[in-house]
Amino acid sequence: MQLLCSISNGQQKKLERPRLVIGIVVDQMRWDYLYRYYNRYSENGFKRILQEGFNCQNTYLSYLPTYTAPGHASIYTGAVPALHGIVGNDWIENYNSTYCCADNSVRAVGGYGKAGQMSPRNLKSSTIGDALKLATQFSSKVYGVALKDRGAIFPAGHSANAAFWFDDSSGHFISSTYYMQQLPKWLQLFNEKKWSDSALAEDWHTLYPLNTYTQSAADDNPFEHLRKHETAPIFPHKTIAKQYAQLRSLPTGNSLCFKMAKQLIKHEQLGLDATTDLLCVSLSTTDYIGHAYGPQAVEVEDCYLRLDQDIAQFLNYLDQHIGKQQYTLFITADHGAAHNANYLKSHRIPAGILSEYRLRDALKKALKQAFHSDSILLNVMNYQVFLNHQYIEKKKLPLERIKQFIIKYCEQEEGIAYALTYQDLKTQNLALAWQLPLLKGYYPKRCGDIALIYQHAWYSDGDKGTTHGAWNPYDAHIPLLWYGWGVSAGESFKRYSQEDIAASLAALLHIQVPNACTGNVIIPLLKSK
């Protein structure tokens, strides 16, 4: 591979970079969705990127648990939770339940209440956006856009110009005083146009005739959640005016996010000068729909067929406003999802559900009987058991005996394959597929005392829809597609990790990697200059 900056004919060439980098994270997109629906995709959406771009076919998350906030943080920092500190969407820190983006020192901008009290301050490392800012003396523009706050904030990083996310109460995109004191005028006007109302104007019908959705189970099946105002989980799905939270579970939520991204590119003039800019777009609707219905659902298939159209329109917009081969774009996911356990069991495939809430309550009862106290356990969350060390020390209870009691109790549960302390994980040579992911996900101040590994195809949730969080391929194998400036056409079946994305972007842009990046450069995708 030749260096971009080379000497030719005695003259030094100017260092070349794309005008704009766009990262698209499709929340809960399993790798196989690229191919399950391939024959139904248009030529100008996913297929365009697959045919003209570079496809990293074997990309995995390398840590546990496989959740939304750690996924977005890992993509853009090139680090794992043990380094960047985002160990879940929520965690317990200093004996308090903590939401990953919560920041009481800031207030909402463009909205009210806790929906706007968000910032990246819990993120302990820098992002590729921060690295780009440092490399250009902060002249590069960096933005994040998503319906979920965590899908906008962590990708954008600490020094971003802004992150914008969706407020269910108003149907507006909002931000916080971490970034600004008031929304830019263009966004105020965007919100005033009530695009959220337009997105709720029609019920959700299938894009094509229902009988053509052969890659999905029957529309009316017992494995899917009911919407509050419906009697069956079937098409068409009714919408209710002014109930903006619905947009999180409708494909039009993705369309709204792309509309917002286009307006941001236009009005903030991204990609229009010699300095590379970065736009981070996270599509949250796919996650809400996936949780509600599961990978076998017609709703999921229809969502991705509509997303394909949105991507095609977005690529066309970038071609016109930035210029073909003037931008670099990647598409990936923060995690995948399991098939619904009862759906698997209906086809004689082993699976099951073990609720963390039920396990927590049962453990509290067992601990009270064994140690005569109901204050030993703080919680069971993130597939971890959290103990109340302050109480245990105050009452001089036997900590190690308590841990061993919990381990023995948990391993008797049908859905749990292993339970062990993180100390055991460090000292024992287990040589199992989940050992290293557990260590990579362990940030001591925010993690529990005992890690739980569920049996394959078991998870902690209800009997409808699905969830994620495991090391298994259904949760950890994600798509990674590259397209545009500096990207060679092709594919690779070498195993890559989420952390390799930031490292490869840094190589592409010839900038230093983020300060905790452990990823490797995906050499084949870089086009020789």
Side-chain angles (χ1 to χ4, degrees):
M1 183 179 71
Q2 296 176 344
L3 293 176
L4 292 180
C5 185
S6 61
I7 305 296
S8 178
N9 298 325
Q11 294 184 343
Q12 185 175 3
K13 289 185 178 180
K14 184 179 179 181
L15 178 65
E16 297 179 8
R17 291 186 175 121
R19 292 165 59 182
L20 177 63
V21 174
I22 307 101
I24 299 177
V25 179
V26 186
D27 202 323
Q28 203 187 118
M29 184 175 182
R30 290 165 51 115
W31 165 84
D32 60 330
Y33 290 165
L34 286 174
Y35 299 101
R36 184 185 301 183
Y37 313 131
Y38 182 88
N39 291 336
R40 309 200 74 188
Y41 289 145
S42 69
E43 294 299 319
N44 300 315
F46 283 118
K47 282 185 179 178
R48 174 179 170 183
I49 299 173
L50 283 165
Q51 293 166 4
E52 300 178 19
F54 192 86
N55 185 357
C56 297
Q57 294 270 25
N58 205 25
T59 305
Y60 279 78
L61 280 67
S62 67
Y63 54 84
L64 286 172
T66 48
Y67 288 159
T68 295
H72 284 80
S74 297
I75 289 167
Y76 286 93
T77 63
V80 293
L83 297 173
H84 61 59
I86 305 302
V87 297
N89 299 331
D90 303 88
W91 57 76
I92 294 175
E93 187 170 8
N94 296 324
Y95 299 94
N96 294 312
S97 179
T98 302
Y99 176 64
C100 58
C101 294
D103 185 349
N104 291 331
S105 71
V106 302
R107 56 181 174 80
V109 172
Y112 302 95
K114 289 188 177 299
Q117 290 185 290
M118 305 290 169
S119 85
R121 287 196 172 106
N122 285 327
L123 182 65
K124 298 300 184 181
S125 60
S126 66
T127 65
I128 189 67
D130 296 326
L132 180 61
K133 286 273 194 178
L134 286 165
T136 62
Q137 288 300 304
F138 296 89
S139 60
S140 289
K141 301 169 187 174
V142 177
Y143 288 89
V145 174
L147 297 187
K148 291 182 181 180
D149 46 57
R150 56 189 180 270
I153 290 171
F154 292 136
H158 298 278
S159 61
N161 294 75
F164 300 111
W165 56 93
F166 191 70
D167 180 9
D168 291 346
S169 64
S170 64
H172 293 168
F173 281 92
I174 65 172
S175 191
S176 80
T177 51
Y178 178 89
Y179 304 99
M180 63 192 71
Q181 294 302 309
Q182 63 180 15
L183 294 181
K185 186 65 176 179
W186 67 264
L187 183 51
Q188 294 178 39
L189 294 173
F190 181 87
N191 286 333
E192 288 171 6
K193 289 182 178 179
K194 298 294 183 181
W195 293 112
S196 297
D197 289 319
S198 300
L200 290 174
E202 296 183 3
D203 295 338
W204 181 10
H205 294 261
T206 53
L207 187 62
Y208 302 108
L210 186 59
N211 63 2
T212 66
Y213 287 73
T214 58
Q215 292 300 315
S216 302
D219 186 31
D220 192 0
N221 67 71
F223 312 114
E224 301 174 1
H225 279 286
L226 276 174
R227 292 172 181 253
K228 291 182 179 179
H229 52 286
E230 294 182 342
T231 58
I234 59 175
F235 282 97
H237 293 291
K238 301 290 184 180
T239 60
I240 301 176
K242 306 297 182 181
Q243 298 294 311
Y244 300 115
Q246 294 172 97
L247 286 173
R248 296 181 182 271
S249 299
L250 294 170
T252 48
N254 285 335
S255 304
L256 179 65
C257 199
F258 274 120
K259 185 184 290 289
M260 168 65 175
K262 292 173 187 176
Q263 290 297 303
L264 196 156
I265 291 171
K266 176 182 177 181
H267 291 284
E268 297 297 341
Q269 299 185 320
L270 301 189
L272 295 186
D273 57 28
T275 305
T276 300
D277 299 322
L278 172 64
L279 174 61
C280 312
V281 180
S282 179
L283 303 173
S284 310
T285 290
T286 43
D287 185 65
Y288 289 99
I289 292 174
H291 276 292
Y293 299 103
Q296 77 286 340
V298 174
E299 285 82 358
V300 169
E301 182 174 352
D302 194 68
C303 179
Y304 278 89
L305 297 182
R306 292 177 179 275
L307 174 58
D308 179 67
Q309 293 188 343
D310 284 334
I311 289 173
Q313 293 171 11
F314 189 58
L315 291 174
N316 184 57
Y317 178 88
L318 293 172
D319 289 344
Q320 293 180 10
H321 288 79
I322 307 300
K324 291 184 177 180
Q325 292 299 313
Q326 296 299 310
Y327 61 88
T328 302
L329 178 145
F330 70 87
I331 296 180
T332 190
D334 52 347
H335 54 74
H339 275 288
N340 176 273
N342 290 328
Y343 172 75
L344 291 178
K345 288 194 289 185
S346 73
H347 292 279
R348 303 188 301 278
I349 298 173
I353 299 164
L354 175 59
S355 166
E356 287 182 329
Y357 301 113
R358 185 184 74 77
L359 180 60
R360 177 198 61 195
D361 293 343
L363 260 179
K364 280 189 174 182
K365 184 177 180 180
L367 286 166
K368 183 175 182 178
Q369 185 175 6
F371 297 96
H372 311 291
S373 172
D374 57 2
S375 300
I376 292 172
L377 189 67
L378 280 178
N379 208 347
V380 179
M381 62 186 299
N382 298 339
Y383 298 94
Q384 300 163 20
V385 178
F386 290 77
L387 297 178
N388 188 341
H389 286 266
Q390 281 185 342
Y391 180 84
I392 292 170
E393 291 173 9
K394 180 180 178 180
K395 297 297 183 180
K396 298 181 180 180
L397 297 174
L399 177 60
E400 293 306 316
R401 276 181 52 205
I402 289 171
K403 289 181 180 179
Q404 292 308 310
F405 177 88
I406 293 172
I407 288 171
K408 184 177 180 180
Y409 182 93
C410 290
E411 289 188 337
Q412 291 175 349
E413 289 280 351
E414 182 185 1
I416 295 179
Y418 301 94
L420 72 168
T421 68
Y422 281 95
Q423 188 61 37
D424 289 338
L425 192 66
K426 293 176 182 178
T427 57
Q428 295 181 19
N429 184 21
L430 300 173
L432 293 169
W434 43 261
Q435 181 183 15
L436 191 55
L438 274 178
L439 285 172
K440 287 186 174 183
Y442 181 60
Y443 190 84
K445 293 181 180 180
R446 297 173 177 177
C447 287
D449 299 87
I450 295 167
L452 305 175
I453 298 296
Y454 277 32
Q455 295 282 4
H456 315 311
W458 282 69
Y459 52 77
S460 172
D461 210 341
D463 60 352
K464 308 292 186 181
T466 190
T467 192
H468 48 86
W471 66 270
N472 306 78
Y474 49 78
D475 281 355
H477 188 191
I478 57 171
L480 177 55
L481 305 176
W482 301 81
Y483 179 82
W485 187 97
V487 176
S488 63
E491 64 180 358
S492 172
F493 288 89
K494 180 181 177 181
R495 186 159 179 138
Y496 297 109
S497 72
Q498 234 178 16
E499 304 92 88
D500 296 336
I501 298 172
S504 300
L505 284 173
L508 186 77
L509 299 175
H510 285 78
I511 62 176
Q512 183 59 274
V513 295
N515 60 20
C517 180
T518 58
N520 297 305
V521 178
I522 304 170
I523 295 294
L525 79 86
L526 300 180
K527 185 181 293 184
S528 297
K529 294 291 181 179

